[in-house]
Amino acid sequence: MTAINEAATVVLGATTTVGAFATVFLARSRAALAARAKAQAARATSAEDRERVFADELRHLGTARLPAYAQHLVSSHHPVPGPLSAHLAGTENGQLFEAVLRQFSDTVLTQRRRIDNAAWAAVRGTSTQTQSVANRMQDLIDELQRKHDNPELLDTFIGIDELNEQILRQLQKAAIASGSWPGHVREDTQLPDIVTGARSRLHGYARIKVNNHLRAANVGVVGRAAEPIAVACAELMANALENSSDDLPVDVTLMPTDNGSVSIVINDAGTGMTADERARGMSLMSGEKSQVLLLSELGDPPAYGFVAIGRLVADYGFQVSIDLPSPYNGVQAVLSIPANLLVTIDVAKQPVSAMAPLPAPPPPRSQKRAAPETSPAAADGSDLPQRHPRRLTEPSGRRGPQGSEAPLTPQAESPDPEGARELWSDFEHGFNAATTDSDTEDAT
């Protein structure tokens, strides 16, 4: 009986132990399940958050960042917004968005360059073909001016000639800005003739005053650079005319330099240029961006002048500067022609035209005082010669009193009112008589 009780006790204890272990295991299993469920819920929440953040960033990229980036490619003044989440940078999604921006930029620039090249080709083709027609028209106008001597017809032909020159200038600068050549070949040309010809192409050319300060009358420009310099000079003078009032002159000066070059200095009294306008103008005329400049960057309608100058500067080697104000608080433009583009012209074979300004006369030299005369005592070996004022003889050879020569400065005479009145009366009498006789002759 005792054995049975002990066996029952052992079985009961074992059962209790197993139950305890089962209880502990079950509790741990429930805790593990709860933790697992919580982790799964957290992961689900995190995935939903990441999905929501990605969707927001994708929406922000399409509606805000890409349009702003397109504007930024046109002008760097337009800002580009960053991502919504500051933690996106450096992550996989952040790198993905940056790759999209780069691909978008490359695509936009490639398409813009293709479209712009097509637009430039259209400008070049239209301007060169129309320029050719205008040149033939100019030849016809010149022939008509030579054949007819009727003053009224000549005035009409001159007006047509001026208008056609202005048309040619507009076509020529558009063609040059689009990559074409100036369309005209010259021989070696006198520099004053180049400036005068450029002046005649402009509306309002009468306001331009050309001053020639060259030291010689035979300074010319090599033929290959003559027309490009004329085009650049015309555009600079046109800019001066357009940005100053119609009643203000524009001063153009041909100025030699000590380094062998020659400068054409153009000063106007206009409104001047802001620092940004001056910097942009210098950038366009430097020729550095002439190959990558977009037509859409030139405004509406496009302003070809500075771009054409920049192309010519890059191709022919002269320089243009507008970085200083004029003495009249306007704009001072300087076109510098280096020595390698200058030649000496044989004036006998190719004289300067009658319309070109002649070189300014040299400044008068100071008169040196004549050596003083010495008295006869100096010839006798005296230590200090005695000097006396030298007098000049009058043109008539008359001498002053006591045989002395007349002084260089004439003596002032006192006014004679009676003599002046008699002289004026004689003039009036003679004039009236002549008038009366003329009227009588005309009447008969």
Side-chain angles (χ1 to χ4, degrees), residues 283-303:
S283 176
L284 292 176
M285 290 188 293
S286 66
E288 298 175 355
K289 297 183 178 180
S290 58
Q291 303 297 330
V292 297
L293 194 66
L294 298 177
L295 181 60
S296 57
E297 297 176 356
L298 303 183
D300 185 13

Side-chain angles (χ1 to χ4, degrees), residues 4 45 73-74 96 156 183 252 354 374 388:
I4 293 174
T45 303
L73 294 176
V74 176
L96 177 61
T156 303
V252 179
T374 59
H388 60 83

Side-chain angles (χ1 to χ4, degrees), residues 116-140:
D116 196 78
N117 288 337
W120 275 123
V123 172
R124 182 167 55 252
T126 303
S127 57
T128 53
Q129 292 175 6
T130 313
Q131 184 183 3
S132 176
V133 175
N135 281 325
R136 293 199 298 270
M137 184 185 298
Q138 187 65 43
D139 293 338
L140 179 60

Side-chain angles (χ1 to χ4, degrees), residues 64 163 297 347 406 434 439:
L163 292 176
E297 297 176 356
V347 181
D439 294 342

Side-chain angles (χ1 to χ4, degrees), residues 381-420:
S382 58
D383 294 335
L384 296 176
Q386 297 180 2
R387 302 179 181 179
H388 60 83
R390 183 180 182 182
R391 300 182 181 273
L392 301 179
T393 305
E394 292 182 352
S396 60
R398 294 181 301 169
R399 294 178 178 270
Q402 300 179 356
S404 62
E405 298 177 353
L408 179 62
T409 305
Q411 298 292 330
E413 297 182 357
S414 59
D416 185 5
E418 295 296 331

